């Protein structure tokens, strides 16, 4: 498959995993959901580790990158699961478009990198989309109320959770780029999720083994979500290897729009006509930032 097909399949798998999590596993806690998305998907990806080079040959710097990545990734997954479990997909997923915006901020603060004109315009589009998602808080005849939609973001717990996820993903995207130089993309993805799965098992299941029993009550749903997540991971790294990272991530972010459609079609979330243009704006902005 070419990188475009792989990227779109990755987006579909991600959005489907989110919808399946919300539909079939909504009774589980965020920690239990994280075990599904990290540990079980890591198990399904384990066959890809057959050609992994001896771990002793990997540079110490590789383990340093992973030591920083793993706790951040687990924290992001816990917040992510809480957001999509408890709040509408159409009001939470679009805020993932802020990830590249936060990446620009991190690069500016840590590396003194400046923003191109295209990137700056992309930021404006992302913010405009966020404003449009909450436009109901503005009043046409009162110009002073036009900033209220942005303030309303902080009043929504789901939006705050997903903004935190976007900020963490901005850090992991930067750190992950450093770690990927030591292994081929497909092998890195499998090894990374296997390591995440073990870490999640130790941190989330070892202190409370009953969490694993909770998963056993929903075997087919758990397997479906883990399989969709595994497909997402596998296609993500295959597509990354075949093209520029920015192009792949821009296409993968179509998962935001697919997730919004799932919200309307599967969960009866209202306001799709008003929210979909906001999602398109945010997606276009994210694409411009990534390619800027």
């Amino acid at each position: 498959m070419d990188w475009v097909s792989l990227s779109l399949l990755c987006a579909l798998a991600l959005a489907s995993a989110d919808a399946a999590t919300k539909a079939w596993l909504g009774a589980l806690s965020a920690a239990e959901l994280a075990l599904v998305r990290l540990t079980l998907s890591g198990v399904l990806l384990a066959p890809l580790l057959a050609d992994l080079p001896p771990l002793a040959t990997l540079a110490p710097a590789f383990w340093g990158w992973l030591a920083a990545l793993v706790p951040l990734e687990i924290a992001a997954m816990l917040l992510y699961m809480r957001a999509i479990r408890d709040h509408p997909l159409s009001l939470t997923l679009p805020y993932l478009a802020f990830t590249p915006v936060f990446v620009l901020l991190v690069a500016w603060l840590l590396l003194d990198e400046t923003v191109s004109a295209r990137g700056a315009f992309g930021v404006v589009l992302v913010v405009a989309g966020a404003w449009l998602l909450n436009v109901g808080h503005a009043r046409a005849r009162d110009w002073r109320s036009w900033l209220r939609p942005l303030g309303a973001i902080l009043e929504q717990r789901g939006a705050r959770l997903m903004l935190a996820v976007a900020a963490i993903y901005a850090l992991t995207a930067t750190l992950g780029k450093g770690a990927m130089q030591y292994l081929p993309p497909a092998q890195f993805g499998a090894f990374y999720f296997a390591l995440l799965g073990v870490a999640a098992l130790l941190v989330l299941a070892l202190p409370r083994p009953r969490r694993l029993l909770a998963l056993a009550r929903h075997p087919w749903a758990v397997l479906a979500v883990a399989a969709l997540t595994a497909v997402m991971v596998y296609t993500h790294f295959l597509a990354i290897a075949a093209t520029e990272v920015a192009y792949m991530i821009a296409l993968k972010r179509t998962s935001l729009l697919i997730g919004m459609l799932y919200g309307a079609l599967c969960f009866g979330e209202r306001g799709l006509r008003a929210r979909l243009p906001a999602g398109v704006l945010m997606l276009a902005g994210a694409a411009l930032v990534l390619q800027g």
Side-chain angles (χ1 to χ4, degrees), residues 104 115-128 281 284-286 288-289:
L104 285 183
V115 182
S116 67
R118 179 183 294 181
F121 184 58
V123 172
V124 171
L125 288 183
V126 172
V127 174
L281 266 183
L288 284 177
V289 171

Side-chain angles (χ1 to χ4, degrees), residues 14 18 34 37-38 68-84 92-93 95-104 106-107 161-177 192-193 196 229 232-233 236 245 249 252-253 255-256 290:
L14 175 57
D18 289 343
R37 300 284 286 256
L38 297 177
L69 276 165
V70 168
L72 287 172
E73 199 77 58
I74 292 176
M77 184 59 72
L78 289 171
L79 295 173
Y80 197 134
M81 292 300 97
R82 287 175 187 167
I84 66 172
T92 52
L93 292 179
Y95 290 106
L96 282 178
F98 273 90
T99 297
V101 175
F102 291 145
V103 168
L104 285 183
V106 170
L161 288 171
M162 203 57 86
L163 281 173
V165 172
I168 295 173
Y169 280 166
L171 290 173
T172 58
T174 305
L175 296 172
K177 198 171 182 180
Y192 183 45
F193 259 71
L196 280 173
T229 304
M232 181 275 292
V233 173
H236 172 98
V245 174
I249 296 298
K252 182 182 177 180
R253 282 293 177 259
S255 64
L256 309 181
L290 287 166

Side-chain angles (χ1 to χ4, degrees), residues 1 23 28 58 70 73 119 131 141 155 175-176 184 245 272 278 280:
M1 296 177 70
L28 299 183
L58 296 173
V70 168
E73 199 77 58
W131 183 90
R141 297 182 180 180
E155 298 173 6
L175 296 172
V245 174
L272 181 64
V280 171

